[in-house]
Amino acid sequence: MRWLVRLAVLALVFGGAVLLTFVDRARRALPRLDGTRSGAGLGARVEILRDRYGVPHIFAASDDDAYFALGYCHGQDRLFQMDVLRHLGQGRISELFGEKTLKTDRLFRTLDLHGVGRRMVAQARPEARSALEAYARGVNLAAGEASGTALPIEFAILGMGFEAAKPDDFLGILGYMAWGLEMSWVFDPLVERLVAKVGAERATELLPWNFGGEPAVHPAASTSVAHAPHASKGHARADLSLFDLSDFETQLLATVPALRASNNWVLGPSKTTTGRPILANDPHLGHGLPPIWYEAHLVSPSLDVAGVTIPGLPLVAIGRNRDIAWGMTNVMLDGGDFFLEKVEGDRVLSRGEWLRLEERVEEIRVRGGATERLVVRSTPHGPLVGQLLEDEQRALAYRWNFMAATDANEIEGFYLLNRARDWSSFREALSHFGAIAQNVAYADRGGHIGLQTSGRIPRYKPPKLEGTRFRDGWDGSEDWDGFIPFEDNPSSFDPPQGWLASANNPTVAQSSYYISDQWEPVDRIRRIHELIGSKQALSVQDVTRMQADTILAPARNLVPIVLDAFDAAPARDGHVAEALDVLRAWDFDMRSEVAAPVLFACFQRRLYEAIFADEMGAELAKAWRSKANLWAIMVGTVVERRLDHWFDRADSPEREDRAAVFRAAFEQAVRDAVRRFGDDPRSARWGALHTLTFHHALGRGSQLLALYFDRGPFGVPGHAGTVNKMEAPFDGHEVTIGPSTRQITDLGDLDASLAVLPGGQSGSPASPHYDDQLRLWLRGEHHPLPLSREAVERITARRLVLEPR
């Protein structure tokens, strides 16, 4: 026993010593944010003023010096995150994490994300290239100061150093952003499987928005006649395992910017209490620590721009300058297609002619393993991806606007957007966007508002005018016919209603050309419309409350149907009767502290299974429910359009109607709640089930490291369908996607602009800025992000000066 006690004491002492050494090492890696530094490549003195949240306001005498300083700040605060993003965009993430990320590297090398980024740099204006060079010098200054034991603790854990940054190092991240927006990777194979299972006609019923729908983003929609979807040609595929990434890969990629869902709205002078426009934006991404965005303000001769940046890129992605403000939501553009090819040896049949396949070799280094040799072969439609798929014997190429639109250039677009001064220069900047297709809200100090759809939209030849199915690639009959001219992209300016909004809903009511069939459910946009219409004029405080709103619109439609179903056949189970009383008293608010959201969320998922599992089969039903909110679209479509034949179960001789299916689904939901919370369903609490944990990349792979790097879990309100989007996977309730930043800009008072991050500016848990904005974000609050020097001085907490060496 004495020896056991001694061993326990020794273990505690040793463990404590290790912990103290670890914490001390992390603290020593924190950068100095005051004083004076000198750096080679700097033209003149630069001031970096940081507020209480560590947000840098950079005042420089030249544009390049401003970008140098931004690179320096990114390097001080987010060096490890930048290195992860660099490896990810270049298809080198397995150098850090080993074999478990090989699928990701194979995919991104095949798509050549970094190569397309280098093409953009070569084509960009000299000033944009100079900005990248200055930015890289700033990153390297910060990394040099942190070399050795002062590097962030993650480098020591992984036993690695930091490679000096080059100007084109991080451009592959633009490709990953675009890939995250491209829904066809998942959607098209699912449509193939759905058509094979239930037939083209019934599949089309569930996907009703090929050529637009309501409520639409642009109020002045095209009146062109919509085209009927193309019928199946029999090209069905049972599985595409390329997209079944490992859990670690899925979690890692969730923290990289892909604006899968977002809200933005802009109110004109007639709709605000200030008499000047107000613009709000909250892009929805996967959560993680540090957050993907980094707040910054850059001032130089041609710049006075503030908002969020991406570590690795010297550009403000979403924000405002002295003249305009902008915010982005995903168009949900279908910008890619799979082509079935005829390949013999090293040749491919293209438009009746046998052409030689292009070929390149990629070497993927793997941490702890052998280097892998990947041969990428390409047809005129794009790279062959079939060799990456298990059990796929056919030659399958992928054509994607990111690769195909060779005149598009997001680097150029963002560079110009940061300097735009009016509607005309704003649209000119967006005309350069290719695969980063966004509905971009606009407001200016002159009182104008607008919304422009960006991105290269593929143009199809008749009769196959939609893009959700696999296409024949050998005769040219189903090839793209270039892209829709940017001038024909949907656009709205100063609409009579005085406001505009988007939430990944259909871009237009009707269109003569195909945009997408992959919209989000219209729950959020309906609620946004309702809130905007609830007052004659809205204040900044009203807009703040809108961003935090957790009323669930579809519950208003579905709950009365549940109650009516049980009015016709009263519940015999006491638990069900108690649960129905809870629903009757509910105000449809997905608050954390009440029971009704638990009952409704469980019911909504059980309803999907009750409607579709019999026709689709368990495997296909699971595939659809695992991809974003496609399952919610299907449920909403069947209920709202009264497609009652879907309620009759294919595996039962009886004929079930809607009421019977609703009753069965709700009874099962009550059983789910009772299993989780006990015999009284009224004791359930949404916040106990609906939780959010902010994971760090290393915390995802180690429970021990998670204790240091992760934050949470937090019980949170909301739902995937609320304006304050808190989306959890179908098979669980842990939130994974939500507002990655919230911004509100009052064009009448730019110094009163508001912003917040779900975390903080620093990537180090040893820093107070690692999570100091987290409580603000959870409460739906913000911090100021002003523009004027006077306002910045009032909130300055740290002051650093960079001098030329």
Side-chain angles (χ1 to χ4, degrees):
M1 180 61 67
R2 287 196 301 271
W3 276 108
L4 287 175
V5 171
R6 290 171 182 171
L7 286 173
V9 171
L10 284 173
L12 286 172
V13 170
F14 180 74
V18 171
L19 178 61
L20 289 173
T21 301
F22 182 89
V23 172
D24 179 67
R25 168 67 177 76
R27 286 175 177 166
R28 282 190 288 112
L30 291 177
R32 293 174 57 189
L33 305 180
D34 294 296
T36 301
R37 301 284 187 280
S38 62
L42 195 63
R45 185 175 185 267
V46 177
E47 290 183 278
I48 303 174
L49 279 56
R50 296 178 188 257
D51 68 13
R52 60 175 291 195
Y53 295 103
V55 178
H57 297 259
I58 296 166
F59 296 89
S62 72
D63 293 355
D64 280 358
D65 285 352
Y67 291 126
F68 181 103
L70 179 62
Y72 182 79
C73 291
H74 282 172
Q76 282 191 308
D77 291 331
R78 300 285 188 91
L79 195 65
F80 178 71
Q81 182 186 39
M82 292 173 69
D83 210 36
V84 170
L85 293 178
R86 168 166 59 179
H87 282 79
L88 184 66
Q90 293 183 9
R92 298 170 51 208
I93 198 69
S94 297
E95 294 178 16
L96 303 183
F97 298 111
E99 290 186 357
K100 59 186 172 184
T101 55
L102 260 174
K103 282 188 177 181
T104 297
D105 280 345
R106 291 170 187 148
L107 176 61
F108 290 174
R109 292 288 187 96
T110 299
L111 298 178
D112 197 21
L113 302 187
H114 189 52
V116 176
R118 290 196 301 265
R119 185 268 298 165
M120 290 183 186
V121 173
Q123 294 176 349
R125 63 186 59 211
E127 298 91 338
R129 294 199 299 271
S130 182
L132 291 167
E133 292 166 359
Y135 175 84
R137 292 196 299 271
V139 172
N140 289 331
L141 175 62
E145 292 178 351
S147 61
T149 59
L151 282 171
I153 190 67
E154 295 96 327
F155 288 95
I157 293 171
L158 292 177
M160 55 182 279
F162 182 81
E163 305 170 13
K166 298 185 288 295
D168 65 357
D169 262 4
F170 303 97
L171 298 177
I173 206 61
L174 287 171
Y176 180 72
M177 289 175 66
W179 180 78
L181 300 174
E182 184 42 61
M183 305 291 285
S184 64
W185 274 105
V186 170
F187 192 78
D188 289 4
L190 283 177
V191 173
E192 287 284 309
R193 295 172 62 184
L194 182 63
V195 169
K197 189 72 175 179
V198 304
E201 183 177 351
R202 297 198 74 184
T204 301
E205 287 182 336
L206 303 178
L207 310 170
W209 290 331
N210 298 65
F211 290 87
E214 291 285 8
V217 170
H218 294 275
S222 168
T223 58
S224 301
V225 177
H227 301 277
H230 186 72
S232 171
K233 297 187 67 174
H235 300 311
R237 172 76 180 114
D239 185 35
L240 279 174
S241 58
L242 168 64
F243 311 116
D244 296 333
L245 300 175
S246 70
D247 289 342
F248 182 85
E249 287 174 302
T250 300
Q251 293 172 1
L252 180 67
L253 298 184
T255 62
V256 184
L259 303 179
R260 296 182 183 274
S262 308
N263 304 316
N264 65 14
W265 59 89
V266 58
L267 310 175
S270 65
K271 283 294 296 181
T272 69
T273 57
T274 65
R276 304 295 292 272
I278 296 175
L279 189 148
N281 188 202
D282 54 300
H284 304 148
L285 305 178
H287 288 303
L289 286 175
I292 185 57
W293 303 117
Y294 181 93
E295 295 172 332
H297 173 205
L298 286 72
V299 182
S300 70
S302 78
L303 281 174
D304 193 350
V305 61
V308 290
T309 63
I310 299 169
L313 296 175
L315 303 163
V316 173
I318 298 170
R320 70 203 69 87
N321 60 34
R322 284 283 174 187
D323 298 295
I324 74 165
W326 67 94
M328 298 187 178
T329 68
N330 188 5
V331 173
M332 315 299 284
L333 174 66
D334 186 352
D337 275 308
F338 292 94
F339 283 82
L340 292 157
E341 306 280 23
K342 291 183 178 179
V343 174
E344 292 185 1
D346 62 354
R347 298 185 305 161
V348 60
L349 185 62
S350 176
R351 299 175 182 252
E353 180 181 1
W354 287 96
L355 304 177
R356 187 173 297 276
L357 291 166
E358 295 182 5
E359 186 174 299
R360 57 186 166 86
V361 177
E362 299 279 350
E363 291 191 349
I364 303 174
R365 288 183 291 172
V366 182
R367 181 184 178 93
T371 296
E372 178 172 301
R373 186 174 183 269
L374 176 69
V375 179
V376 180
R377 301 194 302 168
S378 295
T379 78
H381 296 119
L384 290 168
V385 297
Q387 76 274 18
L388 300 178
L389 312 180
E390 296 175 10
D391 303 321
E392 175 56 80
Q393 303 301 318
R394 297 170 302 174
L396 194 64
Y398 189 69
R399 186 162 183 80
W400 180 26
N401 57 2
F402 180 69
M403 298 178 289
T406 55
D407 62 333
N409 195 318
E410 272 80 3
I411 296 171
E412 185 94 349
F414 279 115
Y415 182 87
L416 294 174
L417 181 58
N418 286 192
R419 292 163 171 78
R421 295 290 178 258
D422 53 24
W423 177 247
S424 176
S425 54
F426 165 78
R427 294 188 73 236
E428 164 61 22
L430 296 185
S431 72
H432 294 271
F433 280 35
I436 300 182
Q438 299 289 297
N439 283 316
V440 190
Y442 165 93
D444 66 35
R445 297 186 69 186
H448 302 291
I449 65 171
L451 199 149
Q452 174 68 54
T453 298
S454 71
R456 296 288 197 272
I457 302 174
R459 181 165 52 196
Y460 297 112
K461 302 173 183 177
K464 190 168 183 178
L465 291 167
E466 51 85 25
T468 58
R469 304 296 313 286
F470 289 5
R471 309 172 80 81
D472 292 337
W474 46 83
D475 62 3
S477 64
E478 298 184 356
D479 284 1
W480 292 1
D481 187 21
F483 298 95
I484 303 298
F486 176 77
E487 293 73 21
D488 293 337
N489 278 18
S491 180
S492 297
F493 185 70
D494 283 344
Q497 67 190 34
W499 57 271
L500 293 159
S502 70
N504 319 114
N505 51 302
T507 303
V508 293
Q510 284 188 313
S511 173
S512 59
Y513 53 83
Y514 172 76
I515 298 175
S516 182
D517 203 1
Q518 306 163 26
W519 319 104
E520 277 270 297
V522 294
D523 311 331
R524 287 180 288 120
I525 195 64
R526 285 176 174 168
R527 179 60 176 164
I528 290 169
H529 285 195
E530 178 184 344
L531 291 169
I532 292 175
S534 66
K535 289 187 175 183
Q536 185 173 351
L538 287 83
S539 65
V540 169
Q541 291 72 29
D542 292 325
V543 171
T544 300
R545 286 190 287 270
M546 284 180 65
Q547 286 188 334
D549 186 79
T550 51
I551 295 292
L552 185 60
R556 292 172 168 173
N557 301 327
L558 293 176
V559 167
I561 302 175
V562 174
L563 298 177
D564 288 346
F566 280 99
D567 285 344
R572 298 179 181 179
D573 183 285
H575 291 151
V576 174
E578 292 170 349
L580 289 169
D581 288 340
V582 172
L583 284 194
R584 288 189 184 95
W586 188 33
D587 60 0
F588 311 113
D589 193 338
M590 301 293 285
R591 298 192 303 275
S592 299
E593 69 277 11
V594 296
V598 175
L599 297 169
F600 182 80
C602 292
F603 161 71
Q604 199 178 23
R605 299 179 187 200
R606 288 295 183 179
L607 183 61
Y608 167 81
E609 295 288 344
I611 296 173
F612 298 113
D614 55 328
E615 277 97 348
M616 290 188 188
E619 183 182 350
L620 183 56
K622 181 178 180 179
W624 275 94
R625 78 188 190 212
S626 67
K627 306 304 180 187
N629 285 324
L630 295 175
W631 66 273
I633 295 175
M634 300 166 83
V635 169
T637 299
V638 167
V639 173
E640 291 189 24
R641 296 180 180 236
R642 296 304 304 256
L643 303 176
D644 288 352
H645 51 275
W646 282 95
F647 291 109
D648 183 31
R649 293 191 62 83
D651 56 0
S652 166
E654 293 80 18
R655 183 169 182 82
E656 292 83 7
D657 60 11
R658 184 173 74 167
V661 171
F662 269 63
R663 284 193 297 269
F666 188 72
E667 288 166 353
Q668 183 61 57
V670 172
R671 288 193 287 272
D672 294 340
V674 167
R675 277 196 296 270
R676 174 65 175 80
F677 290 98
D679 281 345
D680 186 355
R682 293 168 297 188
S683 67
R685 294 294 177 264
W686 184 227
L689 190 65
H690 193 240
T691 62
L692 170 57
T693 299
F694 294 88
H695 296 283
H696 183 280
L698 297 187
R700 294 177 190 277
S702 164
Q703 292 183 351
L704 183 62
L705 292 176
L707 295 174
Y708 181 69
F709 286 106
D710 293 359
R711 296 293 182 270
F714 303 97
V716 291
H719 182 272
T722 57
V723 176
N724 185 13
K725 186 182 182 72
M726 295 288 176
E727 181 178 329
F730 184 97
D731 294 321
H733 293 283
E734 182 176 349
V735 173
T736 56
I737 294 173
S740 60
T741 176
R742 297 189 185 104
Q743 297 189 37
I744 301 174
T745 303
D746 178 358
L747 274 294
D749 186 1
L750 292 176
D751 284 339
S753 297
L754 301 173
V756 71
L757 295 177
Q761 290 285 96
S762 175
S764 171
S767 167
H769 301 312
Y770 184 67
D771 56 5
D772 57 347
Q773 295 188 46
L774 189 51
R775 293 294 177 182
L776 290 177
W777 182 89
L778 287 168
R779 294 193 298 262
E781 298 173 358
H782 305 74
H783 67 82
L785 187 57
L787 286 186
S788 76
R789 179 68 185 250
E790 295 76 18
V792 170
E793 289 284 357
R794 286 195 294 270
I795 62 172
T796 294
R798 313 293 291 269
R799 190 183 303 266
L800 179 68
V801 175
L802 297 180
E803 299 274 10
R805 182 176 297 168

